[in-house]
Amino acid sequence: MDAIFNAIQISAKRIKKAIDVKDIGYSQQENSSGETQLELDIQCDMIIEEELSKIDSVHTVSSEEKEHAVKLHEDGKYFISYDPLDGSSLVDVNLSVGSIFGIYKGDFGSQNLVAACYVVYGPRVEMVFAHNKVKLYLLQAGDFEFVKEIRLGEKGKLMAPGGTQQNWEKYHKAMIDGFFAEGYRLRYSGGMVPDLHQILLKGGGLFSYPATSDKPEGKLRRLFEVFPFAFVYEKAGGEAIDGKQRVLDLGHANLHDTSPCFFGSHYEVQRVKEVYSNNA
Ligand code: AHG
Ligand code: MN
Ligand code: MN
């Protein structure tokens, strides 16, 4: 696991450099979710595959930007899924973006997740690694330095409601309006990494990307985005559900499957469970 952690750190430093210098041109290719890839998405994907391929314990990798999984080392025990550059379309407006990693033992699948990690490329580069505990690191003078352990509170103040509101279910809109009426403040950048990071570091709240009429299975991808963040939130003392059940109890039929998702502290997630069990 140390070798993987190290390879992720090296990838993060290389990605930071690529973000700093690279033009944000679109490529001629689409990814498996039908989105046109940026040159930068492809470059970051290659950086991570290259660094993970140096680690013998990594059996297979799968990426949001690759249709199929790639086997690296027959004798390795870890399967790593990653989103090389989440929120990449935000780079050209200079908002924060991130990389997300799920580390699975034996095979991909929510039950096999043993660690998760994400990197935020913002004014500073930070990394959160969740294994037994959830730890925050800051890139300083070329190295990631441990900052602190992260724990979520019982209840927070921030609300990050994703998805196109026009396509929300009525009960979902009523629930979000209810939180705002209770004093919650809107904090949504459109990048799940900084949005979820903010809620984690400020003690709690709710990030949601629900099922909508145009996206009945949500937008966010189980293996590359939803499962890793669910692991981080649960280890930090929070919760992650799809509306009704724990995200980490969900299966997946295909590598690129999506799921509605809600991440937060207990108080807010409890409300989601009540609303969704009465409506959905
Ligand atoms: P990606 O850039 O990897 O394709 O995904 C971005 C994700 C996530 O970061 C964000 O929360 C969500 O897409 C925003 O989606 P909408 O554009 O539908 O709001
Ligand atoms: Mn993404
Ligand atoms: Mn991406």
Side-chain angles (χ1 to χ4, degrees), residues 27 36 95 101 161 186 213 216 229 243 246 260 263:
S27 71
T36 306
L95 284 171
F101 302 83
L186 176 67
S213 53
F229 266 111
R246 214 178 140 235
F263 303 88

Side-chain angles (χ1 to χ4, degrees), residues 99-114:
S99 302
I100 310 168
F101 302 83
I103 302 159
Y104 306 80
K105 206 169 182 177
D107 198 359
F108 296 114
S110 58
Q111 316 284 334
N112 300 335
L113 204 46
V114 291

